[in-house]
């Protein structure tokens, strides 16, 4: 009977493992496709993002039923998301460093508590209408990093290679065809710049390097989304089972990527930590473990969110949220922190999940993640930096891409009339005003049908003592929408002579 089960289960297990590998690859390709096309579905699959946004924003975000469906699936299959679909989990599995670890390091069980503390802190901070801690969500980490570091970095590398090869005449025609095929399908049509992108690259690199300590260290100890699914896994229908024929050979314990199988506990596992990777079934020589229905809730362990972890999470969330609200660690608001069209400061604090979808969607690279100069409660929320890019007059991509309506989905007509800031001219830097040098770039670039920048012609003296007619620009505040094109195009080196304030 045991031999028959092993033969049958061996074939079936290998098939399931191959299927899981294929689904992981397809899911990662799907993540890249959603990212490249700026489709916000990925974040709508994230039940933690939707729950936190719902609590913080006091309203149900669009398409919340998708996250609800993912939660229901977790009640059936536990943390299968982590082992089958999560792009962060797949990346960590592909770059596992398994061959680099010369000896097994035992991670203390207490470290698993950290992810629950982060999860509870996120939820409690959301109660105080603050979503800053969503920066720890794995999907926001992935999208943010790809948008600000990996994608523009890849574009930069391709541009450098093309520039080098373009010096060879025989490569010029093929390169042109190659570039036309790449853009805008896979790479941007213009070189985008994100000065702070290296921060996100370092964060993702640090998460990957944690695999040197233990396989899937992030999933075991830090991931708040994994903690959310782990709680569902405690009562999920389908769980790992071990029958009494187990010989305690330890093979399943050695292959478990999250280290949840323990020989000293009869080779059982915690469904809150199991990612349903099926590797334990493949390694078992006796086919004594499988996955099937279980109806009683799993026992809680010392690292699960019981009293201590609950108090720690509540304390951390409350302290951070109150500090943010009281403004104790924050500076004065940056007057140049211009928000995307239609977005308010309160929306940024209470609704923005810091996913970076709007950053990817912006065709000019104008939307950048804010830094600490806007206060810690606004960390990594989107701001428009006109000196880097401008808000394109006929574009409403950021609002239509935002998965949680932190940036409202305005029609193009509404967006064109939405004021996001006001321009002002620094007459000490403006070429006509300060140096009697002719320049009307800001007026020429202004996209508003009734120009927001007018030119006043005056007669002035030249350096040689003669006179000339000079056009002096002035901003018509009632017409300016603050798109920033004038600031972007201003020819003055360094800080622009015309700037947009919120």
């Amino acid at each position: 009977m045991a031999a028959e089960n092993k033969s049958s289960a061996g074939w079936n297990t290998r098939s399931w493992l191959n299927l899981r590998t294929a689904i992981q690859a397809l899911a990662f390709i799907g993540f890249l496709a959603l990212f490249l096309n700026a489709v916000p579905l990925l974040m709508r699959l994230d039940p933690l993002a939707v729950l936190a946004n719902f609590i913080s924003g006091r309203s149900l975000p669009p398409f919340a039923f998708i996250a609800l469906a993912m939660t229901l699936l977790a009640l059936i299959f536990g943390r299968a998301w982590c082992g089958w679909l999560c792009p962060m989990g797949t990346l960590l599995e592909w770059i596992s460093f398994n061959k680099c670890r010369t000896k097994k390091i035992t991670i203390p069980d207490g470290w698993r508590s950290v992810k629950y503390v982060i999860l509870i802190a996120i939820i409690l901070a959301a109660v105080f209408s603050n979503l800053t801690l969503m920066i720890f969500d794995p999907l926001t980490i992935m999208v943010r990093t790809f948008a600000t570091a990996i994608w523009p970095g890849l574009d930069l590398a391709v541009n450098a290679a093309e520039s080098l090869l373009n010096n060879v005449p025989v490569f010029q025609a093929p390169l042109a065809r190659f570039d036309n095929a790449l853009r805008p399908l896979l790479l941007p049509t213009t070189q985008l710049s994100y000065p702070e992108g290296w921060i996100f690259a370092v964060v993702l690199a640090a998460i990957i390097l944690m695999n040197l300590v233990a396989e899937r260290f992030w999933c075991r100890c830090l991931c708040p989304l994994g903690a959310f699914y782990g709680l569902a896994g405690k009562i999920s229908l389908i769980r790992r089972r071990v029958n009494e024929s187990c010989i305690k050979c330890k093979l399943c314990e050695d292959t478990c990527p999250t280290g949840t199988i323990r020989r000293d506990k009869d080779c059982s596992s915690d469904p809150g930590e199991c990612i349903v990777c099926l590797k334990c079934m493949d390694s078992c020589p006796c086919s004594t473990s499988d996955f099937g229905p279980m109806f009683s809730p799993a026992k809680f362990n010392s690292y699960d969110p019981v009293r201590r972890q609950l108090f720690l999470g509540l304390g951390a969330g409350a302290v951070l949220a109150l500090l943010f609200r009281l403004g104790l660690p924050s500076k004065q608001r940056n007057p140049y922190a211009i928000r995307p069209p239609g977005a308010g400061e309160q929306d940024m604090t209470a609704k923005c999940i810091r996913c970076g979808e709007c950053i990817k969607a912006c065709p000019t690279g104008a939307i950048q993640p804010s830094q600490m100069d806007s206060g810690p409660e606004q960390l990594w929320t989107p701001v428009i930096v006109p000196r880097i890019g401008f808000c394109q007059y006929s574009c409403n991509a950021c609002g239509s891409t935002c998965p949680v309506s932190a940036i409202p989905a305005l029609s193009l007509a509404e967006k064109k009339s939405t004021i996001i800031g006001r321009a002002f001219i620094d007459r000490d830097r403006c070429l006509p005003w300060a140096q009697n040098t002719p320049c009307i770039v800001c007026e020429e670039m202004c996209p508003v049908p009734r120009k927001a920048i007018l030119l006043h012609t005056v007669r002035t003296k030249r350096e040689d003592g003669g006179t000339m007619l000079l056009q002096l620009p002035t901003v018509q505040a009632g017409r300016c929408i603050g798109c920033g094109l004038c600031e972007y195009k201003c020819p003055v080196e360094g800080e622009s002579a015309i700037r947009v304030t919120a």
Side-chain angles (χ1 to χ4, degrees):
M1 183 69 180
E4 291 176 5
N5 286 343
K6 177 175 172 48
S7 175
S8 174
W11 187 89
N12 286 331
T13 300
R14 178 52 55 184
S15 301
W16 280 104
L17 282 172
N18 291 336
L19 178 64
R20 187 181 82 92
T21 302
I23 288 179
Q24 278 185 299
L26 288 174
F28 198 85
I29 293 171
F31 158 69
L32 293 177
L34 292 174
F35 170 79
L36 290 172
N37 291 283
V39 178
L41 176 62
L42 184 67
M43 299 313 306
R44 287 171 177 160
L45 288 170
D46 186 338
L48 176 57
V50 172
L51 176 63
N53 179 268
F54 170 61
I55 295 172
S56 181
R58 313 294 193 258
S59 62
L60 207 57
F63 302 99
F65 67 90
I66 299 176
L68 178 61
M70 296 302 298
T71 305
L72 293 176
L73 286 176
L75 292 175
I76 298 174
F77 299 107
R79 284 185 68 176
W81 162 270
C82 307
W84 290 63
L85 298 172
C86 178
M88 175 74 86
T90 299
L91 190 62
L92 293 175
E93 187 160 319
W94 287 347
I95 315 176
S96 63
F97 298 120
N98 281 343
K99 295 181 179 178
C100 299
R101 289 189 297 275
T102 55
K103 66 177 182 179
K104 184 177 181 180
I105 300 175
T106 302
I107 304 296
D109 275 349
W111 291 22
R112 297 181 189 270
S113 300
V114 178
K115 62 178 178 291
Y116 291 111
V117 173
I118 297 174
L119 172 66
I120 295 167
I122 289 174
I123 299 300
L124 189 66
V127 172
F128 290 93
S129 296
N130 187 286
L131 293 181
T132 305
L133 296 179
M134 278 302 295
I135 61 175
F136 293 108
D137 182 274
L139 299 188
T140 69
I141 292 173
M142 288 292 285
V143 176
R144 236 178 11 242
T145 308
F146 272 73
T148 61
I150 295 177
W151 192 51
L154 180 64
D155 183 38
L156 191 63
V158 170
N159 276 334
E162 287 181 342
S163 299
L164 185 64
L165 293 174
N166 206 39
N167 294 323
V168 184
V170 70
F171 289 141
Q172 290 176 355
L175 273 176
R177 289 194 293 272
F178 174 73
D179 197 70
N180 288 336
L182 281 182
R183 305 171 197 279
L185 182 63
L186 299 176
L187 292 175
T189 52
T190 57
Q191 180 67 56
L192 304 177
S193 173
Y194 301 96
E196 313 298 337
W198 66 272
I199 297 175
F200 306 113
V202 168
V203 170
L204 182 60
I207 291 172
I208 294 173
L209 289 174
M210 288 175 188
N211 272 351
L212 288 170
V213 179
E215 188 175 1
R216 285 196 181 237
F217 184 93
W218 164 264
C219 308
R220 296 185 193 200
C221 302
L222 299 175
C223 180
L225 182 57
F228 180 92
Y229 279 122
L231 291 176
K234 291 284 188 184
I235 55 173
S236 62
L237 177 63
I238 306 297
R239 286 180 248 160
R240 178 174 176 270
R241 305 176 298 192
V242 182
N243 65 40
E244 58 188 16
S245 302
C246 175
I247 58 174
K248 315 291 187 299
C249 65
K250 199 186 171 187
L251 290 176
C252 56
E253 180 181 306
D254 290 339
T255 56
C256 179
T258 60
T260 185
I261 298 177
R262 297 276 295 272
R263 189 170 55 169
D264 58 350
K265 294 184 178 179
D266 296 329
C267 289
S268 63
S269 56
D270 178 1
E273 299 293 317
C274 173
I275 58 172
V276 201
C277 68
L278 310 180
K279 290 181 179 178
C280 53
M281 288 177 59
D282 189 48
S283 64
C284 181
C286 305
S287 301
T288 57
S289 67
D290 65 358
F291 285 80
M294 297 180 73
F295 300 101
S296 59
K299 293 181 180 177
F300 268 51
N301 296 285
S302 58
Y303 51 79
D304 285 323
V306 288
R307 186 182 304 172
R308 181 183 176 191
Q309 292 81 2
L310 192 61
F311 284 149
L312 278 173
L314 291 174
V319 168
L320 289 174
L322 288 173
L323 283 176
F324 292 158
R325 174 156 291 194
L326 293 173
L328 292 178
S330 64
K331 302 176 182 177
Q332 293 290 326
R333 185 176 179 274
N334 181 3
Y336 299 105
I338 308 164
R339 297 301 183 182
E345 287 301 310
Q346 185 56 33
D347 291 336
M348 289 296 102
T349 305
K351 292 185 177 180
C352 177
I353 55 174
R354 284 73 169 169
C355 65
E357 292 276 11
C358 55
I359 295 173
K360 164 61 182 68
C362 181
T364 67
I367 298 181
Q368 302 276 326
S370 66
Q371 303 303 311
M372 294 298 283
D373 56 355
S374 295
E377 65 179 346
Q378 303 285 3
L379 183 65
W380 296 348
T381 54
V383 291
I384 292 176
V385 182
R387 207 51 172 155
I388 297 177
F390 59 94
C391 183
Q392 206 169 74
Y393 188 59
S394 298
C395 173
N396 58 354
C398 55
S400 59
T401 303
C402 180
V404 291
S405 297
I407 304 173
L410 304 175
S411 68
L412 202 52
E414 291 172 326
K415 185 266 175 181
K416 286 182 175 180
S417 61
T418 299
I419 297 170
I420 60 177
R422 296 288 190 196
F424 73 95
I425 294 175
D426 183 347
R427 296 185 179 184
D428 292 330
R429 296 180 60 78
C430 179
L431 295 177
W433 283 99
Q435 303 177 30
N436 280 355
T437 302
C439 176
I440 57 171
V441 170
C442 54
E443 191 273 345
E444 289 179 326
M445 290 295 113
C446 182
V448 181
R450 297 175 63 209
K451 293 283 185 181
I453 297 174
L454 299 183
L455 300 173
H456 299 279
T457 304
V458 297
R459 185 172 294 278
T460 185
K461 288 185 178 180
R462 296 197 304 259
E463 290 184 356
D464 61 5
T467 61
M468 67 175 184
L469 294 177
L470 186 66
Q471 292 178 303
L472 301 175
T474 58
V475 177
Q476 300 299 299
R479 300 178 186 176
C480 179
I481 59 172
C483 69
L485 182 54
C486 52
E487 181 174 339
Y488 177 72
K489 291 289 187 179
C490 178
V492 174
E493 293 289 333
E495 184 179 297
S496 173
I498 183 168
R499 300 198 66 184
V500 180
T501 58

